[in-house]
Amino acid sequence: MEFGVVLQTNPPASRTIDLARQAETHGFGYVWTFDSHLLWQEPFVIYSAILAATRRIMVGPMVTNPATRDWTVIASLFATLNEMYGNRTVCGIGRGDSAVRTLNGRPATIATLREAIHVIRELANDRPVELNDKTLHFPWSTGSALEVWVAAYGPLALKLAGEVGDGFILQLADPDIAAWTIKVVRDAAEKAGRDPAAVKFCVAAPMYVGDGGSPTERAHMREQCRWFGGMVGNHVADLVAKYGAGSAIPVALTDYIAGRQGYDYNEHGRAGNVHASFVPDEIVERFCLLGTPAEHVQKLQALRDLGVHQFAGYLQHDNKEVTLRMYGERIIPAMAQPVLATS
């Protein structure tokens, strides 16, 4: 299993760069960031500094979208970084959440997302593409390579991930929900004539390593990560509105939003988000990785057994350095051990 870390580009940018450097030191292979230009600093500027300060880390947005960024500009950004630092970028993309909603916009349609993925992938892989009745290519780009990973929750977006994605991003770590989404993606890939095993699967969720030996300590971990259930709830609310509560979407993903009352994007992705108070403790525990290194390893092993290739941990809490260090010293090495067959 590979490991990534998900950062917010809060000022100062030097802090984000330092956390990325620490992540590489501790064995992480990916640094992802939020991409919401009104709420945080411009990530592509910071990617260049991260790449310059590291040697092997891959960088990319989790996730960009086709509504607030021109598709050809996105491709050019990746191709430029690849020329400068040697193909160390990855594109996570979805329909759009905070980046578009803070502008009173709407997430892109599945059809638009499909077309954007095609344009971005072709241009950023040095291939010509048709757009607006014109053949486009980057004459200056040579050897750029970019994978495009699709973030999804609902059936249509999951189907798209299987049909066209180099990877699929699920932003929660509940094994039951992960199993459902992975099956939908794999089935879609097979129906599209693709090798389902060729699609990479990334589970992204808050990771908080601590002792958790007392109820107070455990409660603190949950409070630091409760915001994540609120963030996921934004997407789930859209799904319930479209498909209904009795659809094929797992009840573990839909039931908890019954108490949801609005959302303030000014607190998006932040510990202490008061608009996430509706999220029950059970959901925080199911969606996140909390507790001792052994608890993290146990859940990661369950995800790996489902076919998850990468775990990307959010670090929006008060225990960043310790969590990174414990992953480097205890958790990543444990996950590198061979799985022993049982009789």
Side-chain angles (χ1 to χ4, degrees):
M1 179 180 276
E2 296 184 310
F3 289 87
V5 62
V6 187
L7 305 175
Q8 284 176 342
T9 52
N10 292 307
S14 58
R15 170 65 169 159
T16 306
I17 298 161
D18 180 60
L19 287 170
R21 190 185 299 111
Q22 289 184 52
E24 181 176 72
T25 299
H26 290 304
F28 289 81
Y30 288 76
V31 169
W32 305 86
T33 74
F34 287 56
D35 178 16
S36 192
H37 59 286
L38 289 180
L39 298 178
W40 303 288
Q41 293 179 314
E42 170 55 45
F44 282 91
V45 176
I46 297 173
Y47 294 157
S48 189
I50 290 173
L51 291 168
T54 57
R55 294 190 301 171
R56 57 174 179 80
I57 270 290
M58 301 281 290
V59 302
M62 188 179 282
V63 293
T64 194
N65 73 87
T68 59
R69 292 188 184 273
D70 181 274
W71 311 343
T72 63
V73 174
I74 294 174
S76 180
L77 289 165
F78 283 116
T80 300
L81 290 171
N82 284 341
E83 188 279 324
M84 294 173 68
Y85 300 105
N87 290 336
R88 291 169 56 199
T89 64
V90 59
C91 178
I93 192 168
R95 296 176 57 221
D97 181 31
S98 62
V100 295
R101 296 185 196 274
T102 51
L103 296 170
N104 285 331
R106 296 177 61 86
T109 65
I110 295 295
T112 297
L113 179 57
R114 181 188 298 272
E115 185 180 7
I117 290 168
H118 176 67
V119 170
I120 293 166
R121 177 189 282 124
E122 296 307 292
L123 287 175
N125 283 280
D126 293 345
R127 296 190 292 262
V129 69
E130 296 294 319
L131 181 65
N132 298 331
D133 298 320
K134 184 177 178 63
T135 301
L136 308 176
H137 74 286
F138 295 145
W140 46 267
S141 179
T142 304
S144 176
L146 178 75
E147 291 185 347
V148 181
W149 296 28
V150 182
Y153 290 105
L156 293 180
L158 291 169
K159 181 173 178 286
L160 178 68
E163 291 171 343
V164 305
D166 296 302
F168 158 58
I169 297 170
L170 173 65
Q171 290 167 296
L172 58 85
D174 179 85
D176 293 338
I177 296 172
W180 173 73
T181 58
I182 288 172
K183 184 180 186 305
V184 175
V185 171
R186 283 179 171 162
D187 288 349
E190 187 172 14
K191 289 179 181 178
R194 304 181 69 201
D195 178 5
V199 182
K200 299 176 182 178
F201 295 98
C202 173
V203 161
M207 55 179 181
Y208 193 117
V209 179
D211 178 42
S214 72
T216 300
E217 290 172 327
R218 195 76 185 193
H220 178 75
M221 293 183 195
R222 288 195 294 264
E223 287 307 315
Q224 285 290 299
C225 298
R226 197 176 304 276
W227 63 267
F228 184 68
M231 185 183 81
V232 173
N234 295 328
H235 301 282
V236 174
D238 286 346
L239 294 178
V240 171
K242 181 172 183 177
Y243 297 102
S247 67
I249 302 167
V251 294
L253 186 58
T254 60
D255 281 0
Y256 83 96
I257 67 164
R260 181 178 182 270
Q261 298 179 347
Y263 191 82
D264 184 356
Y265 275 92
N266 289 315
E267 295 186 330
H268 187 61
R270 300 185 187 278
N273 183 340
V274 297
H275 293 85
S277 59
F278 71 94
V279 180
D281 290 349
E282 177 191 4
I283 288 295
V284 180
E285 294 278 356
R286 292 183 66 168
F287 283 13
C288 305
L289 272 73
L290 310 177
T292 65
E295 289 180 282
H296 284 248
V297 170
Q298 182 179 23
K299 193 163 189 177
L300 289 167
Q301 287 173 338
L303 292 169
R304 183 177 61 187
D305 290 345
L306 293 173
V308 174
H309 299 89
Q310 181 185 152
F311 170 68
Y314 287 84
L315 273 185
Q316 284 67 57
H317 54 63
D318 62 1
N319 202 36
K320 296 178 178 63
E321 276 82 3
V322 171
T323 294
L324 286 174
R325 180 171 57 81
M326 294 307 294
Y327 262 75
E329 293 178 0
R330 302 277 299 278
I331 298 168
I332 293 177
M335 293 299 297
Q337 298 297 316
V339 179
L340 299 178
T342 59
S343 58

